[in-house]
Amino acid sequence: MKWLQNFMRGRYGVDQFGNFLLGLYLAIAVLSVLLRYNILFLLSLFVLIYCWFRILSRNTYKRSSENTRYLQKTYKLRMWISNKKKKFKDRKVYRYFTCPNCKQTLRVPKGKGAITITCPKCKTKFDKRT
Ligand SMILES: [Zn+2]
């Protein structure tokens, strides 16, 4: 694998944006097969080529600024997804409520019966079953 190391020296490689492009490529490629749209297949190839162009690129400064821009633009979406994942993982231990006053999300341990919840942000009290 030494030749590969030598080959990749000074090249950019895979980042989060690269992973996203790879996923996008797969999604479009599968769609093109399912829908039998040749134009979609062509599009998926362009995405793949662009992805490889970024991986092999020697202009690491420009590539990493592309990645930063991608991360900034998808920040809210990624936070939303990781939040959903966390809630799903915690679903047996915690219940989530939204404060009726300030819409803050509150996490409460499950199985405590009827309790009064105090919002830590605006101090509003409300009753819930957990
Ligand atoms: Zn509140």
Side-chain angles (χ1 to χ4, degrees):
M1 292 306 266
K2 198 152 178 67
W3 66 271
L4 188 66
Q5 267 178 19
N6 282 333
F7 179 71
M8 287 307 288
R9 182 166 299 141
R11 295 179 195 264
Y12 186 63
V14 184
D15 57 7
Q16 290 95 334
F17 186 45
N19 278 327
F20 166 77
L21 286 173
L22 220 55
L24 188 68
Y25 155 72
L26 280 176
I28 300 174
V30 168
L31 262 181
S32 80
V33 172
L34 290 178
L35 303 173
R36 293 168 197 275
Y37 274 155
N38 288 336
I39 191 92
L40 271 183
F41 186 70
L42 210 66
L43 186 71
S44 77
L45 279 185
F46 273 122
V47 174
L48 189 65
I49 290 167
Y50 179 55
C51 186
W52 274 104
F53 157 75
R54 291 189 75 256
I55 290 170
L56 300 177
S57 172
R58 291 184 188 278
N59 192 347
T60 53
Y61 175 76
K62 205 167 172 200
R63 297 291 87 78
S64 106
S65 76
E66 279 168 7
N67 192 47
T68 308
R69 219 172 333 146
Y70 160 77
L71 289 176
Q72 278 167 353
K73 278 192 178 156
T74 56
Y75 178 76
K76 276 189 178 162
L77 181 70
R78 285 183 298 109
M79 286 310 285
W80 184 79
I81 291 171
S82 82
N83 236 325
K84 290 273 168 208
K85 270 191 195 160
K86 195 165 156 276
K87 280 187 185 179
F88 186 74
K89 235 176 79 189
D90 287 352
R91 72 193 182 284
K92 286 193 177 121
V93 192
Y94 294 106
R95 281 206 66 179
Y96 288 86
F97 298 108
T98 309
C99 170
N101 187 44
C102 69
K103 307 296 175 225
Q104 166 88 16
T105 304
L106 306 169
R107 196 179 71 170
V108 186
K110 242 181 170 173
K112 299 272 178 207
I115 55 165
T116 302
I117 299 165
T118 308
C119 172
K121 205 168 152 195
C122 67
K123 310 294 174 208
T124 300
K125 287 184 161 67
F126 57 100
D127 297 321
K128 284 282 179 200
R129 280 201 79 81
T130 72

